[in-house]
Amino acid sequence: MGVRSWLARRAVRAARVLVVECPGSWEVRVAVERAVRARGWRLALSPASADVLVVTGRADGEMAEIVERHWDAMPGPRARGRAESAAAVADVLDAAVLDLVDDGTQRTDADGRSGSASGDPARADDSTGHGEMDHGGMDHGEMDMAPDGIPLAGASEHDRDGLEMDELPLRLGPILPAWPAGLVLDLVLHGDLVVAATGSFVPAGASTEAGAALLGARRCDDLAAMLDLAGWADGAARARRARDAALDGRDEVAATVLSGLRRRIERSRTMRWSLAGAGTVSAESAPGFDVPDWLVGDCRDRLLVLVDRARAATSNEGADVSSAELVGPETVAALVTGLDVGEARLVVASLGATAVREVVDV
Amino acid sequence: MSDASSLTTVGLPGLLLWAAALLALAVGAVVLDGVLAARSEGAPLRPSLTRVVDETARLLRQRRRAPLSADTLVWRVGSSGLVVAALLMVAVVPFGDHVVSDLDVGIVWFNTMDVLVWALVWLLGWGANSAHSLVGGYRFLALALAYELPLMFALVAPGVGAASLRLGDVAAAQSGLWFVVWMPVAFAVYCLGVVAFSVWGPFAVPAGHDLAGGVFAELSGVDRLLAQAGRYALLAAGALFAVPLFLGGGAGPVLPGWLWVPVKAGVLLALFVLARRALPSVRPERLMEVGWVVLLPAVLVQDLVVAVVVAVRG
């Protein structure tokens, strides 16, 4: 009692939640986001800053291992839960609160993991402490200089300008805010420049199919993710409001919000200036891929495409994702090669998570 | 020059009061930011009013965890240093007739502290041994390269205008006309610099959403608390420093001089907070272009104008 429990009770009011969206569980993820916001909590950007881990949908196989690594990277006090349906979300969060305030549970949890926090060679191979930076899937068998199991940045084969650059492997996804569920991009970086990339989906059945009724909301969510990455917090909040309205069946509200948003984006000089030239795609950008018209241009052009798609999808029911829109992981990888990490993230978001799928009909 | 101002030096014990003022402003900024965020997201407002307390409790309760092979010494120097830099900045700011340390090179002192922030944020990015943090560190240096030179020349203008680098003199020299009125370019560039070195608003890309928090991504527990506090403290310190530099110091009707200083700083700080929600991020390479091609020449012309005016007035 006393200070300890007071601290615990205050602390849970500001809880931060890391949401892991398994492919196919978009609706549940959004339900978690809405519940988190309604409680006055916040979403966490990284495992190190999170108190609660919520997995939506089913995480099996490789995805389950990745979730485990993220769980290990959370500092504690920590709680976890899994929500398979939107209806279960409230219970999962309530249970998390009880876990978090219970000092006994937390102490047991902390005792159980002592010694495994860092430097344990048995865990070296999955680089426990690395959050999003996940070397686990990388092939670094032949590197003998690997303190704590982390390969040192190696000399590069991609020598652009005669400067000897170290190269650094970075895996983006599958657990990352504002990121298509299940997508993984393995990047090779020079500084923060992507010199090589391969794309894939975490094997877990990347079925991102959703009912046509949800399409409007999904498009709004894609837009919100893009605006988050563009750093416009107010715009992202508006897009989420449109998303929630569409989910609740108030399409006319969504339409009003979206048309206001479209106007603001079009007029904003700062937006134009900041995004102009970012991630410009031309017909030659992705070899072996027939670049559709909507993809050509910079991130601002595609941001407007995202708004228009959201408006179209919220206004007429039943419209489905056209095949010309779909982009496969390998194409995503080709599009981000040569960009810096920030631009790469913008490009991925500018495609729209709805459009990034496993199979592409070219 | 030295008789232009007659400040009472309160010394180190007084630093506690200055720290309290800085803390009050920083807390105000956190609350305002939280309320604005809640309002635009349609979230309940009440939790954002007590969030400072709740978040502090949360981070004090949270264990500090370091990533594998993190350079913890360097990393923690980075996370704890930001608050110190902010406090040292305000130590030379006079509240009315009182000041902690009446440095005769106060403006240069401020500049030194803001360059110290370069090192601190970079160490924060480097020490975590994580790719996202490291890229955040790179981004900060790229931004810093763009804003620092214009900021330095913006600091020159009030110094030239008052013919002194001592803050008391600079404030006293504005008894006729505030410097913000006839040095608007220097003031604007100064504000931009403050927002940028606080990793705030449009210049928050080193801690960006796209890097899962960037330089702050791996911080937890008390380390995160200090780093976040440092960020708000820097923003508040920048607003406080602007008062003697551009906003007439403690001059104002009714209220005593020592109270006018935090009031003016509070208004400026609120503007900084508002700007964050309204503006999108600026990518570092875009700022480089503007920083050196537009801002630097503009602020140099400002310095020239100030110098000519001072020379003509004798």
Side-chain angles (χ1 to χ4, degrees):
Chain A
M1 260 317 278
V3 177
R4 223 176 223 303
S5 69
W6 179 81
L7 209 60
R9 272 182 289 116
R10 299 286 341 176
V12 288
R13 293 190 200 184
R16 285 189 187 249
V17 181
L18 186 70
V19 193
V20 176
E21 180 188 355
C22 295
S25 64
W26 180 86
E27 211 179 343
V28 190
R29 192 256 293 164
V30 171
V32 175
E33 282 187 18
R34 295 182 73 176
V36 162
R37 198 184 50 199
R39 285 165 191 249
W41 294 2
R42 288 267 181 278
L43 294 172
L45 290 180
S46 63
S49 62
D51 310 295
V52 182
L53 178 77
V54 178
V55 179
T56 66
R58 292 193 79 80
D60 357 270
E62 198 183 330
M63 194 68 186
E65 286 170 33
I66 295 166
V67 169
E68 247 7 81
R69 276 204 291 274
H70 279 68
W71 174 244
D72 276 340
M74 284 168 60
R78 54 183 189 166
R80 70 193 292 182
R82 191 162 70 90
E84 290 220 43
S85 70
V89 168
D91 290 341
V92 168
L93 295 185
D94 285 340
V97 171
L98 292 181
D99 270 0
L100 277 181
V101 292
D102 186 348
D103 273 334
T105 314
Q106 292 304 330
R107 202 166 302 122
T108 319
D109 176 41
D111 290 345
R113 64 199 296 223
S114 58
S116 70
S118 64
D120 184 349
R123 290 177 166 264
D125 208 52
D126 60 29
S127 74
T128 313
H130 261 256
E132 263 82 28
M133 190 180 138
D134 175 9
H135 300 281
M138 301 253 170
D139 178 29
H140 48 78
E142 61 271 32
M143 291 188 203
D144 37 5
M145 292 287 287
D148 293 330
I150 304 170
L152 294 179
S156 167
E157 299 153 21
H158 314 265
D159 206 358
R160 283 174 302 140
D161 42 18
L163 296 170
E164 219 174 88
M165 293 289 288
D166 282 349
E167 54 182 35
L168 178 71
L170 173 67
R171 171 173 281 194
L172 292 182
I175 304 177
L176 204 57
W179 184 258
L183 179 67
V184 174
L185 282 184
D186 283 311
L187 309 179
V188 177
L189 301 181
H190 283 180
D192 73 340
L193 196 73
V194 180
V195 289
T198 46
S200 58
F201 269 101
V202 177
S207 66
T208 46
E209 301 295 335
L214 283 180
L215 190 63
R218 291 188 58 122
R219 300 260 201 222
C220 293
D221 195 51
D222 292 354
L223 177 61
M226 176 69 185
L227 292 172
D228 264 338
L229 294 188
W232 186 29
D234 262 1
R238 277 161 205 260
R240 294 214 165 82
R241 217 180 302 150
R243 174 195 73 187
D244 297 346
L247 273 179
D248 297 342
R250 293 176 291 131
D251 281 344
E252 64 295 347
V253 178
T256 321
V257 174
L258 284 173
S259 55
L261 204 52
R262 157 106 208 181
R263 234 182 354 260
R264 297 250 332 233
I265 292 170
E266 241 173 352
R267 282 193 199 151
S268 166
R269 281 167 186 229
T270 43
M271 193 68 124
R272 184 188 309 257
W273 171 70
S274 183
L275 286 182
T280 306
V281 173
S282 60
E284 302 84 52
S285 297
F289 171 66
D290 200 7
V291 177
D293 284 346
W294 67 268
L295 201 55
V296 176
D298 59 23
C299 280
R300 182 177 174 272
D301 298 327
R302 286 194 297 277
L303 171 61
L304 291 173
V305 171
L306 286 180
V307 187
D308 289 339
R309 281 183 185 166
R311 291 177 70 186
T314 46
S315 59
N316 61 42
E317 298 271 334
D320 205 359
V321 183
S322 76
S323 63
E325 210 186 281
L326 298 183
V327 182
E330 282 307 326
T331 312
V332 177
L335 289 174
V336 300
T337 307
L339 306 179
D340 67 54
V341 175
E343 261 184 282
R345 290 292 317 266
L346 280 172
V347 165
V348 174
S350 75
L351 304 174
T354 322
V356 181
R357 301 265 178 97
E358 180 73 279
V359 189
V360 192
D361 306 328
V362 181
Chain B
M1 224 69 62
S2 53
D3 56 347
S5 71
S6 51
L7 293 177
T8 317
T9 307
V10 295
L12 275 182
L15 192 59
L16 279 179
L17 284 174
W18 266 245
L22 187 66
L23 183 69
L25 281 171
V27 166
V30 177
V31 172
L32 178 62
D33 188 50
V35 169
L36 290 173
R39 212 192 53 170
S40 90
E41 286 165 13
L45 283 183
R46 263 183 60 86
S48 55
L49 296 177
T50 53
R51 181 171 300 278
V52 188
V53 179
D54 299 340
E55 180 78 3
T56 306
R58 181 180 86 89
L59 290 175
L60 283 177
R61 191 166 175 255
Q62 194 173 61
R63 271 179 280 278
R64 61 197 326 209
R65 180 196 141 277
L68 206 57
S69 288
D71 192 335
T72 30
L73 175 66
V74 155
W75 195 35
R76 282 173 184 155
V77 165
S79 60
S80 55
L82 296 175
V83 183
V84 178
L87 193 57
L88 290 177
M89 273 180 191
V90 296
V92 297
V93 173
F95 278 62
D97 302 330
H98 292 79
V99 67
V100 175
S101 171
D102 193 16
L103 271 191
D104 52 7
V105 287
I107 294 181
V108 180
W109 176 255
F110 177 83
N111 203 184
T112 314
M113 290 306 127
D114 95 63
V115 173
L116 184 64
V117 174
W118 283 50
L120 294 172
V121 178
W122 166 251
L123 292 183
L124 204 53
W126 171 263
N129 189 26
S130 132
H132 277 133
S133 292
L134 184 64
V135 172
Y138 290 144
R139 284 191 186 173
F140 185 75
L141 292 191
L143 276 181
L145 210 57
Y147 76 74
E148 189 62 41
L149 271 182
L151 175 60
M152 281 178 176
F153 284 105
L155 289 170
V156 165
V160 172
S164 171
L165 292 173
R166 188 195 301 269
L167 278 184
D169 297 342
V170 177
Q174 302 173 56
S175 53
L177 189 61
W178 290 5
F179 282 169
V180 64
V181 179
W182 62 290
M183 305 175 186
V185 178
F187 179 67
V189 170
Y190 170 84
C191 289
L192 195 125
V194 169
V195 173
F197 73 57
S198 310
V199 197
W200 183 259
F203 308 113
V205 281
H209 212 92
D210 53 341
L211 292 180
V215 291
F216 297 108
E218 301 289 345
L219 289 167
S220 58
V222 73
D223 297 325
R224 174 173 287 267
L225 179 64
L226 282 173
Q228 292 291 4
R231 202 175 173 193
Y232 281 97
L234 279 172
L235 201 64
L240 265 174
F241 206 86
V243 176
L245 214 51
F246 292 102
L247 303 175
V254 190
L255 295 179
W258 62 266
L259 194 53
W260 266 115
V261 176
V263 168
K264 290 176 185 177
V267 172
L268 187 59
L269 187 58
L271 291 179
F272 290 161
V273 174
L274 285 169
R276 159 179 148 133
R277 302 210 61 78
L279 297 173
S281 300
V282 173
R283 292 182 302 125
E285 68 266 30
R286 301 297 282 175
L287 185 69
M288 193 65 199
E289 218 172 273
V290 172
W292 284 41
V293 178
V294 181
L295 297 182
L296 193 53
V299 80
L300 280 172
V301 170
Q302 172 83 86
D303 288 346
L304 181 69
V305 170
V306 172
V308 168
V309 169
V310 169
V312 168
R313 279 204 310 211

